[in-house]
Amino acid sequence: MSSPPFGGSNEMPAVFPDWSPYQDLDSAARAYLRDPEVALDALFGVLRGASVLCFTLERFVNEVNGVWQEVVICDGSRLVLWHGEDVAPGDGPVGSMTSSLRVVPLSTVTEVGCRRRLTRTSNGQARVDSIDVYLLLSSVDDAVPPPGMDEGESRATIRHDALRFGKTLDDGGPGQIARLEEFSRVVASLVGRPTL
């Protein structure tokens, strides 16, 4: 694992390259992620030749842990999620990161929501300036109830697990907004149908 040098320091740029023009996962990941080899190795180990119907990518810099990266793929019957995150200073050797993989059967997606925020340009044309997508799952969120709650109260706070994704003009631009909307439409078209 190596971190590309930016201006001779370990600082990451505020704006990452745009992955949205790339239709294939390999090219998009190599253009956008800091650690594409780690992500692709984990993902392709699970896909094992399955077709990628759609995907979305995310990456940002967290002031505490450093770089946070995510890839979400739909192959027609599953969502395969890879998440990479730098380890916080003091929690491991310098340059350490976590690499996590999660596979979610599409049969567990109970709801797909897509919310677009529209603004009007000076000529009155509507344009999408942000998008928020959620996938509600049948599994239960593993959040721990706050201290002091009795058993009856804690049952009321149990929520279904959800996957959430978002893009804005400032964070991703119009291309990534469109690709996330495409991702949500493909997944929504598969939910509730027999899996491939």
Side-chain angles (χ1 to χ4, degrees), residues 11-22:
E11 292 181 22
M12 300 300 293
V15 178
F16 304 113
D18 186 10
W19 62 267
S20 67
Y22 301 96

Side-chain angles (χ1 to χ4, degrees), residues 111-117 128 130-135 165 177-178 180-185 188:
E111 186 176 319
V112 177
C114 178
R115 183 178 192 172
R116 301 181 308 158
R117 187 175 69 193
V128 180
S130 72
I131 185 169
D132 292 304
V133 172
Y134 72 88
L135 309 178
F165 313 99
I177 289 173
L180 180 54
E181 185 169 12
E182 174 191 358
F183 174 84
S184 73
R185 287 178 177 172

